[in-house]
Amino acid sequence: MQPNKPIGILLQELGFITDEQINVALDVQKVNPKFLGEILVDLDFVTQNEIGEAIAIQSKLEFIDLDTISPTLEAIAMVPQNIAQTRFILPLYLEGETLVVATQDVNDLMTLDYLRKETRKQIRYVIADKNKISRFAQLYYQELSHPIEAEIQSLAKKAADKLTIDIVRLVDLLLNNAVKERTTDIHITPEGAATHVFYRIDGVMRHYFSIPIEVHHQIAARVKIMAELDISEQRRPQDGAFSYDFLSEKFDLRVSTMPTNFGENIVMRLLGRNSSLFSLSQLGFTAQNVEKIGHHFSKPYGVILVVGPTGSGKTTTLYSALRKINPLQKNVLTVEDPIEYRFSFVKQTQVNRKAGYLFDTALRSFMRQDPDVMLVGEIRDTETAALAIRASITGHLVLSTLHTNDAVGAIPRLSDLGVPNYLIGSGLLAIIAQRLIRKLCPYCKTPIEVSEEDLAAKGVATALIHAYPAQHVYEAVGCERCHHTGYSGRQAIIEILEINDEIESMIVDGATTQSLLKAARNYGMATMRDDGHIKVLQGISTFKEVDRVVL
């Protein structure tokens, strides 16, 4: 029997780390006696997810991303909370007489033996991110003993009965529940008879609670106090922010209020400070697109843009791609609003409007810091756009995001911002446009038979039909685990416009977006719709979902 490969070697073979990074980690280990894997995570060379993938391969077990699965309370109740939290395990669900348990320590035989005796079940270990195991254990054990939604409904009923309720507690519970449901935005909307609470989950608004309209003003006042807004001003929109702790994790919330005929509408965007980094393949990028992005991110100068609407995952993609740049060999500086992901050896700064530190002022200061790579969180104005393009043609790689609908749409947008066509053409390397589509729930998706004629009628390109032969595709059904939506989690669908000599000449000559798109397709560019169809043929999503997000 062959011995298991060390984790470090496996991580190298998987392409997650380099010899140089291992050497740095070994140097750190001399002054900080931790396990090598822990040091690699601390240095941001790998993620806990990637450590988990390597352990899964080493131990020949299944790897599970806990962000895509909801443990059952039946399974949670079978293992005492103190055991789960001290041993870093999480009961997930029952498969007949077998309890499936997430862990990252497959060699903990004492815990395995305990679980068999305690539950009187067979135990099947699966591997998961250790940090997520700890976080979700806290969350689901709290849910077992004190269900958040039940307490919110109880407070809403007390308010309906004209009883005094704890508004601070109600707002906290609404925030806690948003974290539990993996919400990106919370909407608190007053109407004639009630205030309605919506959560945006996987890009789609869902109604969760109705609360008596009589307490709306108190809810609005509490949120405004937290965000340091003027509670006496209810006639004009206000914007603010605050930080919030829940289960040992910090969150930043951006708050927007707007007056309506029934009262102030409140929207809160939820940003996790300790957001996990992903690989591009985890985000849904095909191997071909990962190779293209790696090629452009290895260039010494030029501009790479990631474009799409708000909430389309641009920043996550940009940072996942940034991991392909070695900060031990290149000086990487960023300016962000706010800092969402943290990197070791990358000099990260945050916009400070009160101090006059904005994207354009940051770019100017970066030029005196001997940069190789500059990341600008977003191009919002003429000055930032011009500085970014000029920095790229003076020998720097510039990475940024822009709000446009598709890849070719970024070119007229830069032109609208006042950047001359000759600078756009000479400065751009590539434009990555993306949207997020929901993934099918793995527990309830149902196969449907399709023919090549059916696929062609749906607009699937002939080349894709032949490249991804599918016996069937799936349709969304809905079950308890996905809140009866049929979907759980999201993946990116993308298109990459690569600027070659011909397309550069067309940009300089002021070609239309239609002409640019035709030329790009002639050079082999696949559109977001094509990428979405690939996800359908792979059984990841549905035609209905692709049609929802792409014209």
Side-chain angles (χ1 to χ4, degrees):
M1 183 176 177
Q2 289 186 335
N4 289 331
K5 290 182 181 178
I7 287 295
I9 291 175
L10 272 173
L11 290 168
Q12 279 183 291
E13 290 180 353
L14 291 167
F16 294 151
I17 56 172
T18 64
D19 281 334
E20 185 180 17
Q21 289 171 328
I22 284 185
N23 289 334
V24 171
L26 290 171
D27 283 343
V28 172
Q29 196 175 40
K30 293 173 185 175
V31 297
N32 188 349
K34 286 185 174 181
F35 289 116
L36 183 64
E38 291 178 314
I39 293 172
L40 289 168
V41 171
D42 289 344
L43 292 172
D44 300 314
F45 290 157
V46 294
T47 66
Q48 281 286 359
N49 249 22
E50 288 165 346
I51 292 283
E53 287 183 49
I55 292 173
I57 292 170
Q58 184 187 58
S59 56
K60 299 179 176 60
L61 294 175
E62 181 185 0
F63 176 79
I64 284 184
D65 183 354
L66 293 179
D67 281 326
T68 65
I69 185 171
S70 295
T72 65
L73 294 182
E74 175 190 19
I76 294 289
M78 297 180 75
V79 179
Q81 180 176 358
N82 67 312
I83 296 295
Q85 291 186 317
T86 57
R87 303 296 177 86
F88 290 98
I89 60 173
L90 181 65
L92 297 178
Y93 50 85
L94 282 168
E95 288 179 341
E97 291 301 306
T98 299
L99 177 65
V100 179
V101 178
T103 184
Q104 207 172 82
D105 187 358
V106 295
N107 298 315
D108 186 356
L109 300 180
M110 186 182 296
T111 299
L112 181 61
D113 186 55
Y114 169 85
L115 289 172
R116 285 172 177 156
K117 291 177 180 177
E118 174 74 15
T119 65
R120 297 182 181 180
K121 303 288 183 185
Q122 293 297 311
I123 303 299
R124 180 166 77 85
Y125 271 159
V126 294
I127 306 300
D129 178 332
K130 186 176 180 180
N131 290 340
K132 289 180 182 177
I133 289 173
S134 178
R135 186 164 73 248
F136 285 121
Q138 291 182 70
L139 176 62
Y140 284 102
Y141 277 102
Q142 175 170 305
E143 187 65 9
L144 187 67
S145 57
H146 297 95
I148 298 172
E149 291 190 28
E151 191 172 349
I152 293 172
Q153 298 287 9
S154 174
L155 288 173
K157 186 176 186 309
K158 283 181 69 176
D161 293 338
K162 310 301 181 186
L163 299 173
T164 302
I165 65 169
D166 185 342
I167 291 296
V168 171
R169 177 64 178 163
L170 176 59
V171 172
D172 283 349
L173 287 169
L174 292 175
L175 295 175
N176 294 351
N177 199 58
V179 173
K180 176 176 75 76
E181 298 296 335
R182 304 178 179 114
T183 299
T184 56
D185 301 87
I186 307 165
H187 293 245
I188 302 176
T189 303
E191 290 293 337
T195 286
H196 300 278
V197 179
F198 294 84
Y199 293 151
R200 187 178 293 278
I201 301 170
D202 293 338
V204 177
M205 294 265 286
R206 297 187 203 168
H207 183 274
Y208 266 70
F209 306 105
S210 294
I211 298 169
I213 191 69
E214 289 78 11
V215 298
H216 178 81
H217 177 70
Q218 298 173 61
I219 294 172
R222 171 59 185 162
V223 172
K224 289 164 79 173
I225 288 169
M226 295 170 78
E228 297 183 351
L229 301 178
D230 184 353
I231 62 172
S232 66
E233 178 56 76
Q234 301 172 30
R235 297 167 298 176
R236 62 180 178 85
Q238 296 186 69
D239 294 314
F242 65 92
S243 297
Y244 179 76
D245 290 359
F246 179 53
L247 296 180
S248 305
E249 187 172 4
K250 291 186 178 296
F251 297 88
D252 290 325
L253 288 98
R254 295 178 185 170
V255 178
S256 171
T257 69
M258 184 181 71
T260 73
N261 53 333
F262 292 110
E264 289 180 286
N265 191 69
I266 302 164
V267 178
M268 292 179 275
R269 168 146 288 195
L270 202 60
L271 302 167
R273 276 193 199 171
N274 302 314
S275 301
S276 298
L277 285 168
F278 299 91
S279 66
L280 290 173
S281 57
Q282 285 176 315
L283 296 177
F285 286 54
T286 62
Q288 184 182 19
N289 284 334
V290 170
E291 185 179 344
K292 284 181 181 179
I293 290 170
H295 169 70
H296 288 294
F297 271 68
S298 67
K299 297 284 183 68
Y301 56 86
V303 175
I304 301 173
L305 296 176
V306 182
V307 305
T310 300
S312 60
K314 299 186 296 296
T315 302
T316 301
T317 292
L318 195 58
Y319 275 102
S320 299
L322 182 62
R323 294 182 67 206
K324 294 189 170 294
I325 295 172
N326 185 353
L328 298 174
Q329 296 179 352
K330 293 189 175 182
N331 185 23
V332 183
L333 300 102
T334 79
V335 55
E336 306 160 61
D337 184 24
I339 296 172
E340 292 185 41
Y341 300 92
R342 284 165 172 77
F343 282 85
S344 295
F345 304 104
V346 171
K347 294 78 176 175
Q348 295 178 266
T349 67
Q350 183 164 316
V351 165
N352 186 330
R353 288 179 175 78
K354 290 182 180 178
Y357 185 70
L358 304 175
F359 288 124
D360 56 331
T361 50
L363 271 172
R364 288 192 189 90
S365 67
F366 284 178
M367 298 301 287
R368 297 186 290 276
Q369 286 282 315
D370 184 31
D372 294 299
V373 181
M374 294 183 280
L375 185 150
V376 183
E378 184 182 340
I379 292 176
R380 296 177 179 173
D381 53 54
T382 298
E383 198 158 10
T384 306
L387 285 167
I389 296 288
R390 290 185 186 280
S392 75
I393 61 176
T394 55
H396 306 92
L397 185 64
V398 180
L399 317 172
S400 191
T401 68
L402 193 66
H403 284 79
T404 67
N405 285 326
D406 53 19
V408 295
I411 294 164
R413 175 68 182 133
L414 288 172
S415 185
D416 287 344
L417 287 171
V419 182
N421 286 340
Y422 75 90
L423 284 181
I424 298 173
S426 60
L428 282 176
L429 287 175
I431 304 167
I432 305 161
Q434 72 176 61
R435 294 285 193 283
L436 296 176
I437 58 171
R438 292 180 294 172
K439 296 191 294 183
L440 282 158
C441 172
Y443 302 103
C444 62
K445 66 179 184 180
T446 302
I448 53 174
E449 298 296 327
V450 293
S451 64
E452 289 190 5
E453 291 75 17
D454 295 329
L455 295 174
K458 288 283 189 181
V460 181
T462 303
L464 292 182
I465 295 173
H466 294 154
Y468 298 88
Q471 298 300 317
H472 52 249
V473 296
Y474 291 85
E475 65 179 356
V477 177
C479 64
E480 275 191 29
R481 292 192 182 185
C482 61
H483 293 283
H484 301 284
T485 63
Y487 299 94
S488 178
R490 289 189 288 177
Q491 269 197 358
I493 56 173
I494 72 159
E495 61 188 25
I496 303 177
L497 174 61
E498 300 178 280
I499 310 301
N500 57 26
D501 290 343
E502 181 184 339
I503 291 177
E504 179 183 340
S505 297
M506 292 176 69
I507 293 171
V508 172
D509 293 338
T512 64
T513 53
Q514 290 86 352
S515 301
L516 289 167
L517 179 59
K518 184 177 179 181
R521 297 218 65 176
N522 288 339
Y523 279 104
M525 184 186 91
T527 65
M528 278 187 284
R529 179 168 285 277
D530 292 332
D531 198 30
H533 287 163
I534 290 172
K535 302 297 188 292
V536 175
L537 297 175
Q538 291 176 327
I540 295 169
S541 194
T542 63
F543 285 114
K544 184 177 180 181
E545 184 65 8
V546 174
D547 291 339
R548 183 181 69 85
V549 300
V550 182
L551 286 176

